[in-house]
């Protein structure tokens, strides 16, 4: 252990009134000045513990869930640092994406219009946001470049406030290694990875049905979708057979507005009711379009009428039917969520007139009008049957997703791979290779990979993000040739294709026949943040940092983004480096509100952390986080924070008390806080033996990254140390015992040894109070000390039974109870008492009889064997001490 021999006089260093107030600012300043947590790049990989820290979305404010998860990760890192690891612990900011765009729009009262020119003198109409600025009609249109500048300005402001919270929380991150997912380094890294994927055939374009958010007007990947229950209705609608019989074929649908997009009817091939219909055709109501009747095994005979209409596109099953039955595409919903102006497959005058009533309507309004029309025409049978059913939404959206046919970029992720031993199986194997904390979270990963329905859609039709680094050749006829993809040299990255020009072309050829056109899309934010190990580790930079930190040791994150961030990071590292991105994944749970619902910004039930940090102290809030098990959803509980604050205060006060007994001789070997050879009293040795067991258990827990278990074993020992042991030995520590100076030296040495070990055990969780106490009597920082070891404690204990402490503590309780039951002061002497104890405990009490006598102010103590529990009898109390009058002046 370091810094044990050169300590100042404890008597002069301890404050008169220790307090938690101001410790966060004090110690953050010291740590920053000393660069205490800076990564030492003069190292080798085996000396490093590297962390792929979640980059929080820099839009708005942090919430208590951030504090919860980041505190838990910090506890693991602090432990590893105390184990001698050179910790690479960066923190990034996830700047780009839809949340940032929406915040910038509302904050500045603007919206992006890419058709507008850049205005270098633009000043936003407002700053701060209001109800008025959040409405699109009131937002000033500005160029894409102006909009991006405002996004960058706002995220810089948010990042500063986020950093302040994290510093107050006591995160031991290395602020020298922060990054942004939108800065030049990240753009270059993300674009390089994409170009390598493109060259390897892992990235590709496809024009296909895509889940589309009509509010944001962008494609949405499978991992970003969520089901929400919505009210709906089944409408029983008749199609007319074309065989001249005029018979009706009834379907039941929740999407009657898609009747003009119908391309076929479908039933199960084994459904006897529709055998005669297979291979025939029917005409759609209102629009008079002839469509075939098909058979497909995905049709459900027991759902609705057993026969369904296939539309392009109502849901993902429609997409499967459309693809496998080779049906035509008849899209009616545009990217803005409104009905398109043309439907050329509708050829009858009546059908065209009916469709004309839908043009320009929203999906909601179109559904209402179609129901009215089929009701008027008699094609609707009965009243709609109301139901509640799950509907797909973008996780940040407020309108149901629609399918829109569009050209998008995809990255292979095993979703279209059904071959044995293919990419899907390789990624499942990666999940099994990873060490999960808790272990059962691996099944969530595996279930997600097994359930993938397609490759990863990585393009977004937005503005603030990493641009796709490609252009397309334009033919002499003015048509864009998407098969001729023009790419930049890696050395030129990052590039913006809407500003930069491909090699061999000039700016004058942009958007011209025979020239080029830029890809207007940006990469999905997950496509960049999935490269967080590469971004933080400098994969695309000069130097050898990446080789020293990758694969990283730890990814801490929430269980709700296993399917997004964790899986996508595994995919990228598998494709780029053919390796797992990390060795361990520590998964934290959600924070639940009083109704046991997840706290989230979208639900409006979050609590911002800065007030809690001020009210309960950062140590109190960290304690609450440290008590929560990995992977388990945890209730927001200020009661636990109050307990944590009380623990931190107790560490200050108990340490002041324990150190107030005087100096203990230093350990010549430098392994303990005091010379273990002077620890001669059986009670003192038993304490150290018990503490050795605690150290073993806490170490085992932290080796498994189980910070909660470590705290669970250290905390009870500490309270017993304060409430029982210190009270038992304080008279002896002051020299007031038959053993004289030898007994006092033993007590002081044991107190010093135990206190220092406890400070180090608590240091990963209670970071400020432990550092404060350490500064009273030690040089350096508690956070750079070695983690305590059990062996020196056991050597000092000399084989003493640790159960002695429990026996004496129990005896102390029953002795105190004599006075509390008699409602007299604990300073009241006991003239005589017999303590009866089981045989196993009797020898313990005999060994500590002097301390027990001093504690209870006992004049005559008799110890006898008997009973199953320690008890007292034959008690004779003395006179209570006379209360001294208060000095009034």
């Amino acid at each position: 252990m370091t810094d044990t021999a050169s300590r100042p006089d404890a008597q002069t260093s301890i404050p008169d009134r220790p307090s938690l107030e101001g410790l966060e600012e004090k110690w953050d300043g010291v740590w920053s000045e000393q660069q205490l947590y800076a990564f030492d790049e003069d190292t080798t990989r085996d000396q490093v513990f590297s962390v792929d820290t979640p980059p929080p979305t820099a839009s708005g404010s942090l919430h208590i869930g951030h504090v919860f998860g980041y505190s838990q990760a910090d506890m693991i890192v602090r432990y590893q640092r105390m184990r001698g690891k050179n910790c690479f612990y960066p923190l990034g900011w996830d700047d780009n994406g839809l949340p940032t765009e929406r915040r910038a729009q509302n904050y500045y009262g603007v919206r992006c219009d890419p058709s507008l020119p850049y205005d270098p003198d633009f000043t936003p109409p407002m700053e701060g946001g209001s109800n008025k600025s959040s409405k699109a009609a009131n937002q000033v249109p500005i160029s894409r470049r102006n909009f991006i500048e405002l996004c960058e300005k706002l995220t810089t402001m948010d990042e500063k406030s986020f950093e302040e919270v994290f510093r107050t929380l006591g995160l031991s991150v290395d602020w020298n290694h922060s990054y942004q997912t939108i800065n030049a380094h990240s753009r270059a890294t993300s674009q390089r990875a994409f170009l390598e994927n493109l060259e390897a055939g892992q990235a590709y374009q496809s024009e296909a049905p895509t889940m589309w958010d009509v509010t944001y007007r962008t494609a949405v990947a499978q991992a970003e979708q969520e089901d929400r229950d919505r009210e709906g209705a089944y409408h029983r609608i008749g199609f007319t057979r074309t065989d001249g019989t005029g018979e009706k074929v009834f379907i039941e649908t929740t999407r009657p507005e898609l009747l003009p997009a119908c391309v076929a009817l479908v039933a199960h091939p084994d459904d006897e009711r529709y055998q005669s219909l297979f291979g025939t055709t029917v005409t759609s109501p209102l629009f008079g379009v002839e469509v075939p009747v098909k058979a497909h095994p995905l049709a459900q005979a027991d759902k609705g009428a057993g026969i369904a209409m296939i539309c392009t596109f109502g849901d993902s099953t429609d997409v499967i039917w459309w693809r496998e039955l080779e049906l035509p595409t008849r899209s009616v919903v545009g990217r803005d969520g409104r009905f398109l102006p043309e439907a050329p497959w509708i050829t009858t005058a009546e059908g065209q007139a009916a469709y004309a009533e839908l043009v320009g309507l929203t999906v909601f309004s179109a559904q209402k009008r179609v129901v009215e029309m089929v009701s008027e025409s008699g094609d609707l049978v009965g009243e709609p049957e109301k139901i509640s059913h799950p509907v797909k939404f973008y996780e940040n959206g407020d309108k149901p997703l629609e399918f829109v046919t569009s050209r998008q970029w995809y990255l292979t992720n095993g979703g279209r791979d059904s071959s044995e031993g293919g990419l899907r199986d390789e990624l499942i194997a990666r999940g099994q290779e990873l060490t999960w904390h808790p272990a059962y979270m691996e099944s969530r990963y595996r279930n997600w990979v097994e359930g993938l329905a397609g490759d990863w859609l990585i393009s977004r039709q937005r503005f603030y993000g990493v641009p796709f680094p490609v252009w397309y050749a334009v033919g002499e006829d003015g048509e864009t040739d998407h098969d001729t993809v023009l790419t930049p040299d890696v050395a030129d990255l990052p590039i913006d294709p809407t500003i930069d020009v491909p090699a061999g072309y000039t700016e004058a050829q942009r958007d011209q026949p025979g020239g080029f056109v830029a890809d207007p899309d940006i990469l999905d934010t997950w496509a960049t943040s999935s490269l967080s190990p590469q971004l933080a580790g400098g994969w695309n930079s000069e130097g050898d940092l990446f080789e020293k930190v990758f694969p990283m040791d730890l990814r801490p994150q929430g269980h709700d983004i296993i399917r997004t961030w964790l899986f996508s990071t595994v995919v990228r590292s598998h494709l780029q480096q053919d390796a797992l991105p990390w060795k361990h994944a520590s998964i934290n749970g959600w924070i639940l509100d009083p109704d046991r619902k997840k706290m989230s910004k979208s639900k409006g039930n979050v609590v911002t952390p800065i007030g809690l940090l001020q009210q309960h102290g950062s140590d109190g809030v960290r304690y609450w986080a440290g008590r929560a098990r990995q992977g388990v959803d945890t209730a927001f509980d200020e009661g636990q924070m109050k307990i944590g604050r009380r623990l931190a205060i107790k560490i200050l006060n108990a340490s002041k008390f324990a150190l107030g007994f005087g100096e203990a001789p230093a350990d010549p070997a430098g392994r303990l806080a005091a010379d273990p050879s002077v620890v001669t009293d059986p009670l003192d040795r038993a304490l150290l033996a018990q503490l050795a067991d605690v150290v073993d258990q806490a170490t085992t827990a932290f080796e498994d990254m189980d910070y909660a278990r470590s705290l669970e074993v250290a905390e009870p020992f500490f309270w017993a140390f304060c409430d029982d042991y210190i009270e038992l030995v304080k008279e002896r520590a002051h020299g007031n015992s038959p053993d004289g100076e030898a007994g006092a030296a033993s007590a002081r040495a044991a107190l010093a040894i135990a206190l220092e070990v406890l400070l180090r055990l608590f240091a990963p969780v209670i970071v400020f109070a432990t550092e404060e106490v350490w500064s009273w009597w030690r040089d350096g920082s508690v956070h750079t000390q070695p983690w305590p070891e059990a062996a020196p404690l056991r050597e000092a204990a000399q084989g003493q039974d640790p159960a002695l402490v429990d026996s004496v503590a129990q005896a102390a309780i029953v002795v105190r109870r004599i006075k509390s039951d008699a409602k007299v002061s604990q300073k009241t002497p006991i003239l005589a008492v017999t303590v009866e104890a089981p045989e196993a405990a009797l020898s313990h009490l005999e060994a500590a009889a002097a301390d027990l006598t001093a504690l209870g102010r006992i004049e005559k103590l008799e110890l006898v064997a008997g009973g199953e529990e320690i008890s007292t009898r034959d008690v004779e109390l003395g006179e209570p001490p006379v209360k001294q009058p208060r000095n009034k002046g």
Side-chain angles (χ1 to χ4, degrees), residues 10-193:
Q11 300 282 354
T12 61
S13 306
I14 303 172
D16 292 334
R17 294 186 176 181
S19 172
L20 295 179
E21 276 61 46
L23 293 188
E24 291 89 351
E25 184 177 2
K26 170 185 176 179
W27 288 111
D28 175 64
V30 172
W31 298 335
S32 297
E33 182 181 351
Q34 295 178 351
Q35 291 286 288
L36 193 71
Y37 306 124
F39 177 67
D40 182 2
E41 295 194 30
D42 184 15
T43 189
T44 57
R45 181 63 187 89
D46 62 307
Q47 297 172 321
V48 172
F49 184 83
S50 52
V51 186
D52 182 19
T53 317
T57 301
S59 61
S61 61
L62 294 170
H63 58 77
I64 193 63
H66 290 106
V67 166
F68 181 75
Y70 284 86
S71 293
Q72 293 171 344
D74 187 61
M75 295 168 199
I76 296 171
V77 175
R78 286 181 178 276
Y79 168 77
Q80 291 292 334
R81 190 179 287 113
M82 296 179 77
R83 294 292 280 180
K85 288 293 187 178
N86 182 11
C87 289
F88 181 71
Y89 189 22
L91 184 62
W93 310 107
D94 199 2
D95 310 82
N96 72 79
L98 289 172
T100 301
E101 286 193 19
R102 173 179 275 186
R103 174 159 159 74
Q105 288 172 349
N106 297 342
Y107 190 89
Y108 293 112
V110 298
R111 59 182 172 85
C112 182
D113 183 347
S115 67
L116 295 177
Y118 174 65
D119 179 0
D121 299 319
F122 175 75
T123 300
M126 71 175 306
E127 291 194 19
S130 67
N131 289 334
K132 183 178 179 181
S133 68
S134 65
K135 295 179 180 178
N138 298 324
Q139 293 172 344
V140 176
I142 59 175
S143 73
R144 179 174 183 170
R145 184 174 170 187
N146 285 123
F147 184 70
I148 289 173
E149 287 178 354
L150 291 179
C151 288
E152 290 173 340
K153 178 181 178 182
L154 188 57
T155 54
T156 299
M157 292 164 48
D158 288 339
E159 287 164 11
K160 289 180 180 178
S161 65
F162 283 21
E163 181 177 335
E164 180 183 351
V165 172
F166 284 142
R167 285 183 177 276
T168 301
L169 184 61
L171 296 191
S172 61
V173 300
D174 181 356
W175 294 104
N176 302 308
H177 284 279
S178 62
Y179 63 90
Q180 296 80 32
T181 59
I182 196 63
N183 65 11
H185 164 67
S186 294
R187 294 199 308 274
T189 302
S190 184
Q191 290 180 341
R192 173 190 167 186

Side-chain angles (χ1 to χ4, degrees), residues 58-360:
S59 61
S61 61
L62 294 170
H63 58 77
I64 193 63
H66 290 106
V67 166
F68 181 75
Y70 284 86
S71 293
Q72 293 171 344
D74 187 61
M75 295 168 199
I76 296 171
V77 175
R78 286 181 178 276
Y79 168 77
Q80 291 292 334
R81 190 179 287 113
M82 296 179 77
R83 294 292 280 180
K85 288 293 187 178
N86 182 11
C87 289
F88 181 71
Y89 189 22
L91 184 62
W93 310 107
D94 199 2
D95 310 82
N96 72 79
L98 289 172
T100 301
E101 286 193 19
R102 173 179 275 186
R103 174 159 159 74
Q105 288 172 349
N106 297 342
Y107 190 89
Y108 293 112
V110 298
R111 59 182 172 85
C112 182
D113 183 347
S115 67
L116 295 177
Y118 174 65
D119 179 0
D121 299 319
F122 175 75
T123 300
M126 71 175 306
E127 291 194 19
S130 67
N131 289 334
K132 183 178 179 181
S133 68
S134 65
K135 295 179 180 178
N138 298 324
Q139 293 172 344
V140 176
I142 59 175
S143 73
R144 179 174 183 170
R145 184 174 170 187
N146 285 123
F147 184 70
I148 289 173
E149 287 178 354
L150 291 179
C151 288
E152 290 173 340
K153 178 181 178 182
L154 188 57
T155 54
T156 299
M157 292 164 48
D158 288 339
E159 287 164 11
K160 289 180 180 178
S161 65
F162 283 21
E163 181 177 335
E164 180 183 351
V165 172
F166 284 142
R167 285 183 177 276
T168 301
L169 184 61
L171 296 191
S172 61
V173 300
D174 181 356
W175 294 104
N176 302 308
H177 284 279
S178 62
Y179 63 90
Q180 296 80 32
T181 59
I182 196 63
N183 65 11
H185 164 67
S186 294
R187 294 199 308 274
T189 302
S190 184
Q191 290 180 341
R192 173 190 167 186
F194 169 77
L195 292 174
E196 290 186 2
N197 295 141
L198 181 63
E199 184 177 1
Q202 298 156 348
Y204 63 92
Q205 291 185 87
S206 178
E207 187 163 3
T210 306
M211 292 297 277
W212 189 268
D213 186 280
V214 299
T215 301
Y216 290 108
R217 300 192 186 184
T218 183
V220 176
Q222 181 182 353
E224 298 171 302
Q225 301 166 22
E226 65 182 24
D227 286 333
R228 299 179 193 170
D229 286 336
R230 284 292 182 269
E231 297 299 318
Y234 274 121
H235 303 79
R236 186 173 177 83
I237 298 173
F239 284 66
T240 305
R241 296 185 63 166
T242 59
D243 58 3
T245 63
E247 291 183 5
K248 296 285 187 179
V249 178
F250 293 98
I251 59 97
E252 295 183 12
T253 179
T254 60
R255 300 292 306 269
E257 73 277 12
L258 294 182
L259 275 172
C262 180
V263 292
L265 299 189
V266 64
H268 195 279
D270 297 333
D271 194 328
E272 294 293 336
R273 294 172 294 178
Y274 303 111
Q275 293 298 313
S276 63
L277 285 177
F278 295 143
T280 68
T281 60
V282 295
T283 56
S284 60
L286 300 180
F287 306 103
V289 177
E290 187 174 349
V291 297
V293 181
K294 298 283 189 176
H296 194 281
L298 284 183
Q300 296 175 268
D302 59 350
K303 183 177 181 180
I307 189 168
M309 69 171 180
I310 304 174
C311 301
T312 52
F313 297 91
D315 58 22
S316 57
T317 308
D318 277 345
V319 177
I320 296 172
W321 283 330
W322 165 80
R323 183 180 294 120
E324 295 186 2
L325 297 175
E326 299 181 341
L327 298 168
T329 302
R330 295 171 181 166
S331 300
V332 295
V333 179
R335 294 188 174 197
D336 59 356
R338 295 180 180 273
F339 270 60
L340 296 168
E342 296 180 353
W345 57 90
I346 301 175
T347 57
T348 66
E350 295 83 356
Q352 290 173 345
Y355 187 77
E357 294 195 39
L358 306 180
V359 172

Side-chain angles (χ1 to χ4, degrees), residues 523-540:
L523 284 151
D524 168 27
T525 184
W526 290 112
T528 300
S529 57
S530 62
L531 293 166
S532 51
Q534 291 84 351
L535 297 175
W539 168 62
N540 194 43

